[in-house]
Amino acid sequence: MTIRLLLADDQELIRHALGVLLDLEPDFEVVASVGRGDEVTAAALAHRPDVALLDIDMPGLDGLAAAAVLTAQVPECRVVILTTFGRTGYLRRAMEAGAVGFVVKDAPADALADAVRRVMAGERVVDPTLAAATLAAGESPLTARERDVLIAARSSATVAEIAARLYLAEGTVRNYLSGATTKTGTRNRMEALRVADERGWL
Amino acid sequence: MTIRLLLADDQELIRHALGVLLDLEPDFEVVASVGRGDEVTAAALAHRPDVALLDIDMPGLDGLAAAAVLTAQVPECRVVILTTFGRTGYLRRAMEAGAVGFVVKDAPADALADAVRRVMAGERVVDPTLAAATLAAGESPLTARERDVLIAARSSATVAEIAARLYLAEGTVRNYLSGATTKTGTRNRMEALRVADERGWL
DNA sequence: CCCGATTTCTGACAGATGTCACGGCGAATC
DNA sequence: GATTCGCCGTGACATCTGTCAGAAATCGGG
């Protein structure tokens, strides 16, 4: 019984190389391969893969959102997130989105095939180094409001804009941003934003 | 006559997948594969590859520096830089470091093998989309001093620290940073730094 | 219902940041 | 030689940003 795979990664060269690598395994077959997050569900419906390997950085729809849609619409397809080590903060959200595996691109060569087989066996698979790092990062210490403000800060450059968008006084916004920078151990809101984002606190 | 290849990329899974992909070509043979920039030269001396494929993001020594060392010490080995689309600003510096090819990971699947063969035939190979983008980004509009200050700003967080390091008045540093933000079309020095870095202006 | 604790929100203040107008210097041009 | 132009360096000014102490609102337990 061969395992049918769907592959999603926006870097075509990488996607193709991974496809070749996986197709070499006698019990694997890559049945679909897409370069955009918003093509994942359609491809899954058309080709009925057993496992979907999704990158996080993709145009259209990111891998986490794609995972959520996919698990809702094609529940028999198991989702494995495959991404860069820097994006490890998304582990928790990936699990909430219904993923059952999380493999980093720094992992040893055979980790991917191994993860696929174990996922098919019903296990959840997470790189142990990664799990430890996530555990160390811990729960988000940010309050709901601090998170809101940080998210708004991502698209709005100035405090006044954020205040206007959230219907807050400027002082309030500055206060939340200050709290966020303290809790992230950074020195300004730009760094706080980056750190919080990396740790999956947004 | 088979073409001997050296592969350098810090993401082991990706490196292995690319290795498998290239080894499938009948006229290619991957003779060395390393995960750090500072291992490139030693591996090249030991295995005498015809072409070295180098990623830019690597620990130890980045791909550009590795390319410079490699072309100096093993001049018969041709260097092809293989990297992410976001790092395209490094094209000029890659060429200055002695690279004869520049392939992005977004390229079509056969672009890499094609690039290797053309490089072996004595051609220089650059993705046309990429060349156009680089041309559009153009020469750096930054003055020498503005570049210095931006580079110092990368490691020092505050204006006072930069001023102390470069023996300038704080006002002067602020002035250069202001110039840099204007020329990059950004709103603060953080963004200016990021943009200038992406475009290879540093 | 009341009390304390937590969260939300605000204005005030000091310090950092970005912009401006200015003078000095060297190279290219007329 | 005089002029023009671009780059380097500086201080002054208005604005933005981060931190603080504390008021109002919310919530859960006694």
Side-chain angles (χ1 to χ4, degrees):
Chain A
M1 184 57 188
T2 69
I3 300 175
R4 299 165 61 81
L5 299 174
L6 178 149
L7 203 49
D9 190 315
D10 63 328
Q11 300 192 340
E12 196 169 331
L13 199 50
I14 302 303
R15 186 172 80 240
H16 184 243
L18 286 172
V20 169
L21 180 68
L22 292 166
D23 254 337
L24 284 182
E25 304 286 330
D27 51 340
F28 288 1
E29 182 187 1
V30 177
V31 297
S33 173
V34 301
R36 299 176 52 86
D38 47 12
E39 294 171 355
V40 168
T41 304
L45 287 171
H47 298 96
R48 297 284 160 183
D50 299 306
V51 178
L53 298 170
L54 309 181
D55 185 24
I56 289 185
D57 289 316
M58 280 191 291
L61 201 67
D62 73 51
L64 298 178
V69 176
L70 188 56
T71 50
Q73 301 216 354
V74 192
E76 73 275 15
C77 174
R78 338 239 165 147
V79 173
V80 173
I81 299 289
L82 170 66
T83 193
T84 306
F85 188 71
R87 293 302 180 89
T88 54
Y90 295 108
L91 175 57
R92 181 173 292 110
R93 268 196 284 163
M95 291 304 169
E96 288 168 6
V100 294
F102 202 104
V103 179
V104 295
K105 289 183 177 173
D106 297 61
D110 55 358
L112 187 55
D114 183 51
V116 169
R117 293 201 184 90
R118 285 165 61 188
V119 161
M120 277 305 288
E123 288 183 57
R124 284 181 170 265
V125 180
V126 175
D127 184 296
T129 311
L130 181 50
T134 303
L135 215 58
E139 273 303 313
S140 168
L142 302 176
T143 70
R145 245 13 200 153
E146 285 169 348
R147 206 186 60 238
D148 293 343
V149 171
L150 271 184
I151 291 173
R154 190 149 43 178
S155 36
S156 312
T158 165
V159 172
E161 290 175 23
I162 303 170
R165 179 179 308 191
L166 299 181
Y167 306 104
L168 291 177
E170 298 189 14
T172 310
V173 172
R174 280 199 289 276
N175 198 13
Y176 287 135
L177 288 173
S178 178
T181 55
T182 303
K183 288 175 181 173
T184 51
T186 55
R187 271 196 296 253
N188 55 50
R189 67 152 160 284
M190 297 293 220
E191 295 199 4
L193 183 55
R194 189 172 48 74
V195 169
D197 208 358
E198 278 177 7
R199 297 191 186 164
W201 290 349
L202 299 188
Chain B
M1 183 57 189
T2 68
I3 301 176
R4 298 164 62 82
L5 299 174
L6 179 151
L7 204 50
D9 190 314
D10 63 329
Q11 299 192 339
E12 196 169 331
L13 199 51
I14 302 302
R15 187 172 81 240
H16 184 244
L18 286 172
V20 169
L21 179 67
L22 291 165
D23 255 336
L24 284 182
E25 305 285 331
D27 51 341
F28 287 1
E29 182 186 0
V30 177
V31 296
S33 172
V34 300
R36 300 176 51 87
D38 48 12
E39 294 172 356
V40 169
T41 304
L45 286 171
H47 298 96
R48 297 283 158 183
D50 299 304
V51 179
L53 298 171
L54 309 182
D55 186 24
I56 288 185
D57 289 317
M58 279 190 294
L61 201 66
D62 73 50
L64 298 178
V69 176
L70 188 56
T71 50
Q73 302 216 354
V74 192
E76 73 274 16
C77 175
R78 337 238 167 149
V79 173
V80 173
I81 299 290
L82 170 66
T83 193
T84 307
F85 190 73
R87 292 304 179 89
T88 54
Y90 296 108
L91 174 57
R92 181 171 292 112
R93 268 197 285 163
M95 291 303 169
E96 288 167 6
V100 293
F102 202 104
V103 179
V104 294
K105 288 183 178 172
D106 296 61
D110 55 358
L112 186 55
D114 185 50
V116 169
R117 292 201 185 91
R118 285 166 61 190
V119 161
M120 276 306 286
E123 289 183 57
R124 282 181 171 263
V125 180
V126 175
D127 185 296
T129 312
L130 180 51
T134 304
L135 217 57
E139 271 306 312
S140 168
L142 301 176
T143 69
R145 251 1 205 160
E146 283 168 350
R147 206 186 60 239
D148 293 343
V149 171
L150 272 184
I151 291 173
R154 190 150 42 177
S155 36
S156 312
T158 162
V159 172
E161 290 175 24
I162 303 171
R165 180 179 309 192
L166 299 181
Y167 305 104
L168 290 176
E170 297 190 15
T172 309
V173 172
R174 279 199 288 276
N175 199 16
Y176 286 136
L177 288 173
S178 178
T181 55
T182 304
K183 287 175 181 174
T184 51
T186 53
R187 272 196 296 251
N188 54 51
R189 68 152 161 283
M190 298 294 221
E191 295 199 4
L193 184 56
R194 189 172 47 74
V195 169
D197 209 358
E198 277 177 8
R199 297 191 186 164
W201 291 349
L202 300 187

